[in-house]
């Protein structure tokens, strides 16, 4: 089973490059089939990074087109600049093998918040990433649901695999 990766709103080209570089081993091993970048606009540098990686750029309002273009049965949606950490490929493979229609999120790496503090500070919906069936994402895109809204609505299982969020600086 292969996945398509959707990177949303990278701040800078080097953030995008960081995410795409982390996906290379998964592409080599046959887990990641393609990468799509969603953003409001793209600088020449961002488009150059996208093209060099063999990814495709879509404006946010083209979510339905991006999902339709995705070649994987599953989408891994992450913020631009985020990167999955060691061990994530096995976790994702195991999850998609017996997902029973569920979606999943990663465990956030480097969180310094205590358990109680975490309940009071809600990170952005995609901070933990979202692993979702392409058909479900396509349905949301047809109903004009923003991908972050979908991530907020989903009751998702948490993977042990860790995701490092993008740098905020």
């Amino acid at each position: 089973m292969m996945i398509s990766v959707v990177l949303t709103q990278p701040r800078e080209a080097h953030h995008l490059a960081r995410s795409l570089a982390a996906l290379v081993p998964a592409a080599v091993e046959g887990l990641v089939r393609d990468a799509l970048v969603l953003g409001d606009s793209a600088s020449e540098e961002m488009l150059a990074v996208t093209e060099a990686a063999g990814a495709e750029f879509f404006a946010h309002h083209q979510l339905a087109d991006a999902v339709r273009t995705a070649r994987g049965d599953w989408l891994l949606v992450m913020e631009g600049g985020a990167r999955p950490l060691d061990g994530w490929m096995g976790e994702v493979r195991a999850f998609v093998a017996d997902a029973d229609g569920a979606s999943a999120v990663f465990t956030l790496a480097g969180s310094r918040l205590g358990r109680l503090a975490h309940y009071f500070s809600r990170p952005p919906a995609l901070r933990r990433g979202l692993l979702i069936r392409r058909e479900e994402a396509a349905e949301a895109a047809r109903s004009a649901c923003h991908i972050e809204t979908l991530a907020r609505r989903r009751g998702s299982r948490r993977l042990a695999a860790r995701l490092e969020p993008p740098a905020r600086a």
Side-chain angles (χ1 to χ4, degrees), residues 6 9-10 26 33 37 42 56 62 65 70 83 89 105 115 123 151 164:
V6 178
Q9 199 60 25
R33 184 151 189 193
V37 179
E56 214 171 324
Q62 294 176 306
D65 294 336
R83 66 186 183 101
M89 290 185 280
V105 296
R115 237 182 147 84
E164 185 175 82

Side-chain angles (χ1 to χ4, degrees), residues 19-39:
S19 293
L20 291 168
L23 300 173
V24 170
V28 169
E29 287 195 26
L31 177 61
V32 171
R33 184 151 189 193
D34 57 344
L36 312 166
V37 179
L38 285 175

Side-chain angles (χ1 to χ4, degrees), residues 130 132 136-138 140-141 145-155:
L130 176 65
I132 186 171
E136 188 173 350
C145 177
H146 194 275
I147 196 75
E148 290 167 16
T149 305
L150 177 65
R152 223 176 282 117
R153 288 183 193 162
R154 290 294 301 166

Side-chain angles (χ1 to χ4, degrees), residues 3-101:
I3 64 173
S4 292
V5 177
V6 178
L7 297 166
T8 66
Q9 199 60 25
R11 290 176 180 259
E12 303 283 338
H14 67 275
H15 291 143
L16 177 59
R18 177 181 189 253
S19 293
L20 291 168
L23 300 173
V24 170
V28 169
E29 287 195 26
L31 177 61
V32 171
R33 184 151 189 193
D34 57 344
L36 312 166
V37 179
L38 285 175
D40 291 329
S41 63
S43 65
E44 284 185 33
E45 188 180 12
M46 188 149 340
L47 289 174
V49 169
T50 301
E51 185 177 324
E56 214 171 324
F57 186 87
F58 293 87
H60 266 294
H61 68 275
Q62 294 176 306
L63 175 60
D65 294 336
V67 172
R68 204 173 15 260
T69 301
R71 293 181 282 164
D73 296 320
W74 287 81
L75 299 182
L76 171 55
V77 186
M78 304 185 308
E79 292 178 301
R83 66 186 183 101
L85 299 179
D86 291 340
W88 74 275
M89 290 185 280
E91 283 280 323
V92 167
R93 277 194 178 103
F95 176 79
V96 300
D98 61 279
D100 275 348

